[in-house]
Structures are given as structure tokens and as C-alpha cells.
Amino acid sequence: DIQMTQSPSSMSVSLGDRVTITCRASQDIGNYLSWYQQKPEKSPKLMIYGATNLEDGVPSRFSGSRSGSDYSLTINNLESEDTGIYFCLQHKQYPLTFGSGTKLEIK
Amino acid sequence: EVQLVESGGGLVQPGRSMKLSCAASGFTFSSFPMAWVRQAPTKGLEWVATISTSGGSTYYRDSVKGRFTISRDNAKSTLYLQMNSLRSEDTATYYCTRRDGYCFDYWGQGVMVTVSS
């Protein structure tokens, strides 16, 4: 199975900060990587697909990038509505595997 | 507007069965693979199963293989998850989700399944 190692597990940041969350894949997954935001008691929301593509309706302060087996979600100019838990997902092969999640809080 | 509405959850004893349903609307259901993803209380997301557009291909995580069956009725725009021989570790919120390319672009609100005596 492909392991997705996500870091950090939690972050406490200030409004206006730049935030980067990373997932490292244990095997080659190409660009079959997506990012999801989950608010408390809500279902996940697709933010980024294909490692770098912004889902329709997602603010442009969100972006995705790849460097080798490391995949990053970056949020520029953090806003209060960006709090929540972020997960990555590899869709290269079954079983599909999620990262363990990053809880993003405002200081 | 795409909508996915799960139903069928609740409290069930270990070893018993339960069937989840997901009613889809707002898109051509038969054109999209569908999946179930679960989340145990206070835990992360875990993929459970995926089904192809026709239902001819299905994929499962090892821990549910042989116990769970994913199926679909394209005429009714409904996705199902038959869960047999339930275990305490199956306790989770189960989400129905639509696969678009290589991501899950729409999710239902989730349905809670609690396996306990």
C-alpha cells in the first residue's frame, strides 16, 4: 500500500500568515494527489486536484505544488475561514490512502 | 446542484448487517464512479470502496473485503453499501462521494454507523 505521510499534524498560525502543509508519498503517485478541507461536523471539501489544480470556487490564495514525492498545499494570506483539518489523498492505486490530516488553527 | 444524501445508519450489534444508501441528484449518476469513505470518531479519513460507472468493477480495502459490498442502481441514481459481519472497528461516519477523474469532488453529509452491543 502507498503510505501518505502528512506533516505537520497541527499548526497554530496568525491571520495573514503563509501556511504550507506537506504530504510525502512512499511510492510514485505522479500527480494523482488531491487536497481536502474538513470543517467540524462537516463533510470534506475538495480544494486541489491533480496536485496543482484549484477546484472551482476555491479562493486563489490556495495552491498546490509537487517536488518529487513531496506534495504541498500552500495558503497565502491566511483568513479565519481557512481553519479546519486538511487531508491529502493519493488516487494512483488501490487501496486509496489519505494523509493523517493537519489541523489548522488561528492563534 | 449536485446532492448526495446518505441514509440507513444507526446502532447495530457486532456480527449483524446494515445497508447504507446514497441518493444522488443534480448530475448524470451513471456517468461517474462512486465511492464510500469513512471516518471513525475523532480520526482521519479512510477509503472503503469504489464502484465503476456500470457497477462491473468494484474495489475494497482489505479490512472490509468479503464483508462489505458496494453496488449501484443507475436507474434509481442510488449507491449502496451492504455491510455484513460488522465489527466495532467499523464504527464511523460513512460518506458517499463522487469520483471525478482522480479525486472526490462531491461528498454527502455522512451517516453514522455505530457497532456496539
Side-chain angles (χ1 to χ4, degrees):
Chain A
D1 297 1
I2 297 176
Q3 308 302 316
M4 301 302 298
T5 302
Q6 187 170 344
S7 61
S9 58
S10 64
M11 301 180 76
S12 184
V13 295
S14 300
L15 296 175
D17 279 356
R18 183 185 191 206
V19 169
T20 298
I21 299 167
T22 299
C23 276
R24 175 169 291 175
S26 64
Q27 301 175 36
D28 175 51
I29 61 169
N31 284 337
Y32 296 110
L33 189 285
S34 48
W35 289 96
Y36 302 83
Q37 176 196 63
Q38 188 176 31
K39 298 278 190 179
E41 308 304 319
K42 296 292 186 183
S43 54
K45 174 187 175 183
L46 175 65
M47 307 298 281
I48 299 285
Y49 63 93
T52 62
N53 300 291
L54 195 66
E55 174 68 351
D56 288 346
V58 174
S60 59
R61 62 181 179 275
F62 288 85
S63 64
S65 62
R66 173 191 177 187
S67 176
S69 60
D70 289 342
Y71 298 80
S72 296
L73 173 70
T74 297
I75 311 171
N76 288 303
N77 196 18
L78 189 80
E79 297 191 8
S80 57
E81 66 181 30
D82 300 334
T83 58
I85 302 177
Y86 291 84
F87 297 92
C88 63
L89 166 68
Q90 70 80 16
H91 223 138
K92 172 69 172 178
Q93 71 180 51
Y94 293 107
L96 307 185
T97 45
F98 288 88
S100 54
T102 296
K103 186 174 184 179
L104 187 59
E105 297 176 319
I106 304 295
K107 282 180 184 173
Chain B
E1 177 194 6
V2 172
Q3 284 199 316
L4 299 170
V5 180
E6 301 96 336
S7 60
L11 176 64
V12 62
Q13 292 180 328
R16 304 297 291 264
S17 299
M18 177 174 278
K19 187 172 186 177
L20 304 181
S21 299
C22 171
S25 61
F27 65 103
T28 304
F29 181 72
S30 59
S31 296
F32 291 86
M34 298 292 294
W36 290 96
V37 172
R38 69 185 180 185
Q39 186 171 35
T42 72
K43 300 297 184 183
L45 299 169
E46 183 174 82
W47 169 79
V48 175
T50 294
I51 188 167
S52 63
T53 53
S54 66
S57 295
T58 55
Y59 309 87
Y60 300 92
R61 68 180 302 102
D62 283 349
S63 62
V64 308
K65 211 172 289 185
R67 300 189 300 124
F68 289 13
T69 301
I70 188 172
S71 62
R72 64 191 298 160
D73 185 334
N74 285 341
K76 295 183 177 179
S77 295
T78 302
L79 176 71
Y80 303 100
L81 185 67
Q82 175 68 47
M83 303 183 293
N84 298 332
S85 302
L86 281 161
R87 306 166 179 170
S88 58
E89 54 264 37
D90 296 319
T91 294
T93 296
Y94 284 74
Y95 295 101
C96 162
T97 182
R98 186 180 87 167
R99 174 179 163 174
D100 184 17
Y102 294 95
C103 65
F104 295 133
D105 63 345
Y106 286 94
W107 298 64
Q109 84 286 355
V111 61
M112 184 67 199
V113 173
T114 302
V115 183
S116 175
S117 54

